[in-house]
Amino acid sequence: MAELPLEAGEPPGVEMFGMLELRLSSSNGTGFCDVYRLKGRKKKPFQAKIYRPWRKDFINLGTFASAHEAAVAVAQQRLEG
């Protein structure tokens, strides 16, 4: 099933995984916000990192075997604060 593109100002989609909210992204190739694909990596090609605008840096959450695992790590970090 194809997803409709987001309109300007519309919040990103959310997928629930237990109590965690995985933020979906139509503009990111992985399908999730804050999850990035690392080129040349075969075992753990997905990296999860969260941008902190007040410090102008990133929190690196590690590398993962799937985009879904990385999105779960991002959701857990956001839940913990």
Side-chain angles (χ1 to χ4, degrees):
M1 173 165 40
E3 240 181 84
L4 298 174
L6 294 176
E7 296 294 326
E10 186 177 338
V14 173
E15 175 184 317
M16 294 302 292
F17 183 73
M19 291 184 60
L20 300 174
E21 292 182 354
L22 308 182
R23 294 182 185 178
L24 303 175
S25 172
S26 60
S27 62
N28 187 337
T30 63
F32 298 100
C33 292
D34 301 320
V35 177
Y36 306 93
R37 182 157 192 119
L38 299 172
K39 292 183 180 181
R41 303 278 309 255
K42 291 185 181 182
K43 287 190 177 185
K44 294 185 177 181
F46 297 97
Q47 180 180 28
K49 58 184 180 178
I50 299 174
Y51 182 67
R52 296 186 296 186
W54 63 93
R55 294 190 65 178
K56 297 181 180 160
D57 69 350
F58 287 90
I59 299 173
N60 185 4
L61 303 177
T63 56
F64 301 88
S66 72
H68 190 266
E69 286 179 53
V72 169
V74 169
Q76 286 175 336
Q77 181 66 32
R78 289 192 186 280
L79 185 66
E80 291 172 7

